[in-house]
């Protein structure tokens, strides 16, 4: 995960100071890309401990089309609570758009089912895409999507599946490690379902930023050398994306440095 640390270092040394909607302020760069070969390990950063439980439950929450924090809270995950309303609702965010994108004729599109079917039956398509950026519904969302679109690519010769994510806005210290691991896990899950090998996660970022209240924590992290990446094992019997449960995932050989506390900008 040296490339992640290199991005932190580049933003600190070459970034531009900006005012942001939270009032905290950031140092940012526009345009960055990270690539992770999943054959070399599961890309969960080791220079601080990351909550893999929250990552797994959040991804399952998205995939089940849920937008209320009740499911997360029931499983002791509270990462979305600061944005939810008094009933725990977040509006038509990721899960809604992934599984129930509304059409103008009153129907709905299940984008996850669509991409799985395209990978199986039309693998050379250049349209194997899921979008969360529904312009007509942004104002109804408590927090507009940060990771807004992802695309799959099938290498038929090698029987490999890769994924490229575009993230419009990335909080590098707190958010980005979650996003990297979440989409790597999604790639592994869908690869298993379509009987392909998970290959490369390409993570493309628009506004890559470090909040001003994370600068000292980032400097601590940059003093640490990355350790060997862990391995993610998933239940090989699961062949439907909705059948996965938390118990189907096992992270092995994760030996990170201690957690570094930082407050989320809201």
């Amino acid at each position: 995960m040296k490339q992640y640390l290199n991005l932190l270092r580049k933003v600190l040394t070459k970034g531009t100071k900006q005012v942001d909607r939270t009032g905290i302020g950031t140092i940012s760069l526009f345009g960055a890309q990270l690539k992770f070969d999943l054959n070399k390990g599961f890309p969960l950063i080791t220079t601080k401990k990351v909550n893999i439980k929250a990552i797994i439950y959040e991804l399952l929450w998205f995939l089940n089309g849920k937008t209320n924090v009740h499911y997360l809270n029931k499983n002791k995950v509270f990462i979305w609570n600061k944005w939810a309303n008094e009933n725990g609702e977040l509006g038509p965010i990721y899960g809604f758009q992934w599984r129930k994108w509304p059409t103008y004729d009153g129907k709905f599109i299940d984008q996850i089912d669509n991409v799985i079917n395209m990978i199986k039956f039309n693998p050379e398509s250049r349209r194997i895409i899921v979008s969360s950026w529904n312009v007509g519904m942004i104002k109804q969302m408590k927090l507009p999507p940060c990771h807004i679109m992802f695309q799959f690519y099938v290498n038929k010769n090698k029987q490999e599946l890769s994924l490229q994510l575009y993230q419009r806005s990335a909080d590098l210290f707190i958010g980005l490690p979650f996003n990297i691991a979440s989409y790597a896990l999604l790639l592994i899950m869908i690869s298993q379902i379509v009987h392909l090998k998970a290959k490369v996660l390409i993570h493309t970022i628009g506004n890559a930023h470090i909040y001003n209240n994370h600068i000292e924590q980032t400097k601590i992290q940059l003093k640490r050398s990355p350790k060997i990446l862990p391995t993610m094992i998933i239940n090989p019997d699961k062949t439907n994306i909705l059948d996965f449960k938390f118990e189907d995932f096992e992270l092995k050989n994760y030996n990170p440095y201690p957690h570094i506390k930082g407050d989320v900008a809201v």
Side-chain angles (χ1 to χ4, degrees):
M1 298 294 284
K2 288 183 179 179
Q3 55 184 316
Y4 169 71
L5 296 180
N6 289 340
L7 178 57
L8 293 179
R9 191 174 293 109
K10 184 176 180 180
V11 171
L12 282 181
T13 57
K14 297 183 178 181
T16 299
K17 291 183 179 180
Q18 289 191 325
V19 176
D20 75 292
R21 63 171 177 79
T22 69
I24 294 173
T26 67
I27 304 173
S28 71
L29 286 176
F30 187 66
Q33 190 173 83
L34 307 173
K35 293 185 179 183
F36 305 98
D37 184 342
L38 298 194
N39 292 324
K40 296 181 179 179
F42 185 71
L44 187 65
I45 67 168
T46 58
T47 45
K48 68 172 183 180
K49 187 175 182 179
V50 178
N51 186 352
I52 188 62
K53 174 185 174 180
I55 292 169
I56 294 172
Y57 272 119
E58 182 193 52
L59 180 57
L60 294 176
W61 183 61
F62 291 158
L63 288 168
N64 279 274
K66 297 181 183 296
T67 60
N68 192 291
V69 298
H70 175 71
Y71 167 84
L72 296 175
N73 292 175
K74 184 175 68 174
N75 292 293
K76 309 300 181 186
V77 175
F78 307 102
I79 56 177
W80 277 92
N81 284 32
K82 291 183 179 181
W83 291 279
N85 68 15
E86 63 276 9
N87 298 315
E89 185 56 49
L90 290 150
I93 61 166
Y94 301 100
F96 183 90
Q97 304 302 333
W98 287 14
R99 306 309 308 247
K100 206 174 180 181
W101 181 292
T103 63
Y104 290 109
D105 59 0
K107 298 179 181 179
F108 297 94
I109 298 170
D110 188 330
Q111 296 190 84
I112 298 298
D113 273 355
N114 278 0
V115 296
I116 290 172
N117 286 330
M118 291 180 76
I119 293 168
K120 287 180 177 179
F121 303 114
N122 190 14
E124 293 180 333
S125 174
R126 298 185 292 270
R127 303 176 184 180
I128 311 177
I129 291 171
V130 173
S131 175
S132 301
W133 192 258
N134 189 334
V135 177
M137 304 188 83
I138 294 295
K139 290 184 178 180
Q140 300 174 44
M141 303 177 191
K142 292 297 182 181
L143 184 68
C146 292
H147 33 108
I148 65 175
M149 187 191 82
F150 54 98
Q151 179 178 6
F152 291 95
Y153 177 84
V154 179
N155 184 326
K156 289 178 65 177
N157 293 335
K158 296 184 177 180
Q159 293 294 293
E160 294 173 342
L161 183 67
S162 294
L163 182 155
Q164 179 164 206
L165 164 69
Y166 180 77
Q167 185 163 352
R168 66 168 180 87
S169 174
D171 165 5
L172 299 187
F173 177 70
I174 291 182
L176 187 61
F178 262 65
N179 304 139
I180 293 168
S182 180
Y183 278 89
L185 185 56
L186 178 63
L187 175 56
I188 292 170
M189 293 165 70
I190 290 185
S191 295
Q192 175 167 301
I193 290 168
V194 298
H195 308 293
L196 295 171
K197 294 177 289 186
K199 180 55 177 172
V200 177
L201 169 66
I202 303 168
H203 198 135
T204 302
I205 303 168
N207 188 307
H209 54 269
I210 298 171
Y211 282 99
N212 288 335
N213 62 342
H214 296 160
I215 291 175
E216 293 308 312
Q217 295 96 317
T218 299
K219 290 179 179 178
I220 292 171
Q221 198 171 343
L222 286 171
K223 294 178 181 178
R224 299 173 174 180
S225 297
K227 298 183 180 182
I228 295 173
L229 291 178
T231 301
M232 176 62 75
I233 306 297
I234 68 173
N235 184 345
D237 297 328
K238 294 301 171 78
T239 58
N240 186 300
I241 198 69
L242 290 177
D243 288 344
F244 283 97
K245 307 296 181 187
F246 178 79
E247 295 73 24
D248 292 317
F249 304 92
E250 182 182 2
L251 185 68
K252 289 189 172 183
N253 302 317
Y254 186 47
N255 183 33
Y257 288 85
H259 175 68
I260 303 174
K261 182 174 173 52
D263 293 326
V264 176
V266 179

